[in-house]
């Protein structure tokens, strides 16, 4: 009963969280997805895959609001996973605790493509689990391949999940080719390869590039500190609850990240005691495949981050790798432990902690949106929005009485310019945000300083 109650609480918490955030969980990537969705059926860019924008537009068709469209999708994703797990009796306790961790919290509380990506990844776990269990091998192989294709249409990084299955089959060829799961996995790779290859071919023929690589710009100079922070971010992939979000290059920030690294090392040693017990189970190779998925995804995403102009390694970027490792651990934990007191208490504590920390400075998204909504109609003919208030910083001072020290923190979701930009983009996605003020016709640009927000 307690897991059913926690499942309901997770659904409620994840649904309500964004209402207490200034932007409603809408970021720069969210605006890009809204923009692509609003352009449909016209296709103007392949910088992002079409899967998530299509889902958004399908919901928007009925409710005419992209924020609410994203809310409905996240609700469907989280309730879909929990309901499926319960009625199929597919590791329900493990699934509830999995969704109480940091990865599910961040991807299902925001407007990001990692939400549907993790949704399809969970069902990929199920169909692979069925294959390794010897159940309806080729039917489940078909469904597993469909999940991988769907993941790729949500995020191009889905190719690393596909690659991980190839790596598993390559190393398993000599030893495991006579196992009942080998040929179904080959079929999975073949069918998903056709789907992914077909999507890439469409992109190339229609846009002239496979994944919008010509639109990403050249990568900036890779500094030693950038490499260090990325490596610390990747090492944090083992931690199911504490996430790294690098705030600055300051010694205090780096020092905190090394503190988290120490916790991550202890966490890895603890997880390893259960991973080693996988050999004693009938699904040993299922766990190996999940571990290969996590490692392949993290390593190739790290390399991709260094070669392309994308953000640093953080909880959102490495969501899939963390999801894999945590799910494997939870399955093995419940197979070996007779009591769930420890993992239950830890899971509940961090769900409460993440929920409170995320809204440590609560705001009213709907109020902010209504303020901007009444002003947007006055700026007809605007095609772009530019944040010209970057110099205006919203900084909070914190004081620690015990050590008599004070420090300042710049809240990323409290900066006026970025907040206005996100609100406008969610109201009218046809007003596209621009990073640089280089549009020649300035009458087409809406500057954030022209908008008033209390």
């Amino acid at each position: 009963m307690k897991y059913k109650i926690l499942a309901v609480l997770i659904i409620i918490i994840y649904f309500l969280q964004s209402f207490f955030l200034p932007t409603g969980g809408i970021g720069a990537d969210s605006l890009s997805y809204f923009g692509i969705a609003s352009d449909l059926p016209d296709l103007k860019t392949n910088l992002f895959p079409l899967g998530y924008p299509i889902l958004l537009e399908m919901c928007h068709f009925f409710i005419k609001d992209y924020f609410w469209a994203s809310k409905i999708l996240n609700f469907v994703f989280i309730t879909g996973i929990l309901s499926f797990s319960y009625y199929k009796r597919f590791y329900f306790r493990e699934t509830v605790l999995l969704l109480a961790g940091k990865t599910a919290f961040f991807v299902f509380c925001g407007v990001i493509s990692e939400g549907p990506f993790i949704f399809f990844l969970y069902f990929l776990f199920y169909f692979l689990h069925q294959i390794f269990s010897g159940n309806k091998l080729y039917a489940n192989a078909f469904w597993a391949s469909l999940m991988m294709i769907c993941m790729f249409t949500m995020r191009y990084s889905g190719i690393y999940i596909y690659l991980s299955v190839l790596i598993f089959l390559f190393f398993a060829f000599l030893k495991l080719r006579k196992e009942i799961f080998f040929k179904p996995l080959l079929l999975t790779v073949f069918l998903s390869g056709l789907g992914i290859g077909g999507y890439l071919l469409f992109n190339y023929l229609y846009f002239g590039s496979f994944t919008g690589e010509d639109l990403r710009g050249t990568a900036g100079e890779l500094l030693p500190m950038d490499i260090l922070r990325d490596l610390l971010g990747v090492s944090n992939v083992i931690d199911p609850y504490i996430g790294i979000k690098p705030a600055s290059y300051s010694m205090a920030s780096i020092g905190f990240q090394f503190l988290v690294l120490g916790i991550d090392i202890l966490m890895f040693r603890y997880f390893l005691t259960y991973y080693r017990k996988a050999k004693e189970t009938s699904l040993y190779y299922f766990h190996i495949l999940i571990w290969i998925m996590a490692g392949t995804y993290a390593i190739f995403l790290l390399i991709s981050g260094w070669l392309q102009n994308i953000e640093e390694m953080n909880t959102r970027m490495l969501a899939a790798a963390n999801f894999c490792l945590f799910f494997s651990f939870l399955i093995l934990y419940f197979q070996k432990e007779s009591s769930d007191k420890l993992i239950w208490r830890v899971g509940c504590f961090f769900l409460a902690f993440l929920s409170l920390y995320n809204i440590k400075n609560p705001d009213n998204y709907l109020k902010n949106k209504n303020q901007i909504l009444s002003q947007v109609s006055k700026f007809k003919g605007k095609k772009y929005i530019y944040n010209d208030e970057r110099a205006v910083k919203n900084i909070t001072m914190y004081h620690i009485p015990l050590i008599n020290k004070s420090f300042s923190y710049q809240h990323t979701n409290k900066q006026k310019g970025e907040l206005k930009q996100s609100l406008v983009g969610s109201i009218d996605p046809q007003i596209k945000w621009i990073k640089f003020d280089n549009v020649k016709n300035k009458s087409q640009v809406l500057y954030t300083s022209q908008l008033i927000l209390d």
Side-chain angles (χ1 to χ4, degrees), residues 125 128-129 131-133 164-165 168-169 171-182 185 275 277-293 328 332:
F125 289 160
L128 290 175
H129 182 277
I131 291 172
F132 282 95
S133 298
S164 67
V165 182
F168 175 82
L169 289 173
F171 286 106
F173 178 74
L174 294 177
K175 184 179 179 182
L176 304 174
R177 66 180 183 274
K178 293 183 179 179
E179 296 284 347
I180 59 171
F181 59 74
F182 190 79
L185 282 181
Y275 289 155
K277 296 176 182 179
K279 284 187 177 181
E280 304 168 12
T281 70
S282 59
L283 291 169
Y284 176 49
Y285 294 112
F286 169 71
H287 288 284
I288 287 181
L289 177 54
I290 289 182
W291 301 338
I292 291 175
M293 280 185 183
S328 175
L332 294 169

Side-chain angles (χ1 to χ4, degrees), residues 300-339:
F300 277 86
L301 196 66
L302 174 67
I303 296 171
S304 178
W306 287 343
L307 297 179
Q308 301 180 62
N309 193 24
I310 60 176
E311 63 186 275
E312 57 201 350
M313 301 298 103
N314 52 35
T315 298
R316 182 175 76 86
M317 294 292 288
L318 295 165
N322 178 263
F323 203 70
C324 290
L325 293 175
F326 193 24
F327 190 52
S328 175
F329 163 75
L330 287 169
I331 293 173
L332 294 169
Y333 180 90
F334 279 98
Q335 287 178 349
K336 298 301 176 183
E337 298 294 339
S338 57
S339 174

Side-chain angles (χ1 to χ4, degrees), residues 154-353:
M154 299 299 149
R155 293 188 61 79
Y156 290 132
S157 58
I159 194 69
Y160 303 141
I161 300 296
Y162 177 74
L163 180 61
S164 67
V165 182
L166 286 177
I167 293 172
F168 175 82
L169 289 173
F170 175 78
F171 286 106
F173 178 74
L174 294 177
K175 184 179 179 182
L176 304 174
R177 66 180 183 274
K178 293 183 179 179
E179 296 284 347
I180 59 171
F181 59 74
F182 190 79
K183 289 183 179 178
L185 282 181
L186 281 178
L187 178 62
T188 299
V189 166
F190 175 73
L191 292 177
S192 53
L194 286 178
I196 292 171
Y199 189 93
L200 289 173
L201 180 62
F202 166 78
N203 269 357
Y204 185 77
L205 294 177
Y206 194 91
F207 296 103
S209 64
F210 291 110
T211 60
E213 54 270 16
D214 55 321
L215 303 173
R216 300 181 190 277
T218 57
E221 182 183 0
L222 192 62
L223 302 173
M225 190 63 73
D226 295 321
I227 296 175
L228 173 63
R229 297 206 308 177
D230 280 339
L231 291 175
L232 288 170
V234 171
S235 67
N236 184 240
V237 78
I238 192 65
D239 197 318
Y241 299 115
I242 303 173
I244 283 184
K245 183 183 178 182
S248 68
Y249 291 95
S250 68
M251 291 304 296
S253 176
I254 299 299
F256 175 75
Q257 291 174 58
F258 270 104
L259 175 62
V260 174
L261 174 63
I263 297 173
D264 293 340
I265 292 172
L266 295 175
M267 187 73 68
F268 177 72
R269 292 181 63 182
Y270 181 71
F271 275 32
L272 198 59
T273 60
Y274 290 93
Y275 289 155
R276 285 172 175 167
K277 296 176 182 179
K279 284 187 177 181
E280 304 168 12
T281 70
S282 59
L283 291 169
Y284 176 49
Y285 294 112
F286 169 71
H287 288 284
I288 287 181
L289 177 54
I290 289 182
W291 301 338
I292 291 175
M293 280 185 183
T296 302
Y297 194 89
I299 292 170
F300 277 86
L301 196 66
L302 174 67
I303 296 171
S304 178
W306 287 343
L307 297 179
Q308 301 180 62
N309 193 24
I310 60 176
E311 63 186 275
E312 57 201 350
M313 301 298 103
N314 52 35
T315 298
R316 182 175 76 86
M317 294 292 288
L318 295 165
N322 178 263
F323 203 70
C324 290
L325 293 175
F326 193 24
F327 190 52
S328 175
F329 163 75
L330 287 169
I331 293 173
L332 294 169
Y333 180 90
F334 279 98
Q335 287 178 349
K336 298 301 176 183
E337 298 294 339
S338 57
S339 174
D340 65 349
K341 284 185 179 180
L342 176 62
I343 193 70
W344 166 260
R345 290 172 180 175
V346 171
C348 290
F349 170 80
F350 275 102
L351 176 62
F353 173 79

Side-chain angles (χ1 to χ4, degrees), residues 31-190:
L31 300 182
S32 297
Y33 295 125
F34 291 165
I36 295 171
S38 66
D39 288 335
L40 292 174
D42 293 334
L43 305 178
K44 297 182 179 180
T45 178
N46 65 336
L47 184 61
F48 296 95
L50 289 172
Y52 188 41
I54 288 175
L55 293 178
L56 285 169
E57 188 58 28
M58 288 171 62
C59 290
H60 179 265
F61 178 81
F62 296 101
I63 58 177
K64 308 302 180 184
D65 187 293
Y66 284 103
F67 169 76
W68 283 105
S70 68
K71 295 297 294 181
I72 290 173
L73 286 176
N74 281 345
F75 179 80
V76 169
F77 296 147
I78 198 76
T79 54
I81 290 174
L82 288 168
S83 300
F84 180 88
S85 173
Y86 179 75
Y87 288 109
K88 282 287 188 178
R89 297 182 179 179
F90 181 66
Y91 300 117
F92 181 65
R93 293 178 302 176
E94 294 85 343
T95 298
V96 172
L97 292 174
L98 177 69
L99 296 185
K102 68 177 183 184
T103 289
F105 183 89
F106 286 112
V107 304
F108 292 122
C109 286
V111 186
I112 50 179
S113 59
E114 281 82 0
F117 190 83
I118 291 298
F119 174 78
F120 288 117
L121 177 60
Y122 179 83
F123 284 94
L124 176 62
F125 289 160
Y126 172 77
F127 293 119
L128 290 175
H129 182 277
Q130 296 301 96
I131 291 172
F132 282 95
S133 298
N135 299 326
K136 298 181 181 179
L137 294 173
Y138 292 100
N140 283 303
F142 168 79
W143 288 110
S145 63
L146 185 60
M147 293 304 102
M148 279 201 279
I149 294 170
C150 288
M151 290 172 68
F152 185 76
T153 63
M154 299 299 149
R155 293 188 61 79
Y156 290 132
S157 58
I159 194 69
Y160 303 141
I161 300 296
Y162 177 74
L163 180 61
S164 67
V165 182
L166 286 177
I167 293 172
F168 175 82
L169 289 173
F170 175 78
F171 286 106
F173 178 74
L174 294 177
K175 184 179 179 182
L176 304 174
R177 66 180 183 274
K178 293 183 179 179
E179 296 284 347
I180 59 171
F181 59 74
F182 190 79
K183 289 183 179 178
L185 282 181
L186 281 178
L187 178 62
T188 299
V189 166
F190 175 73

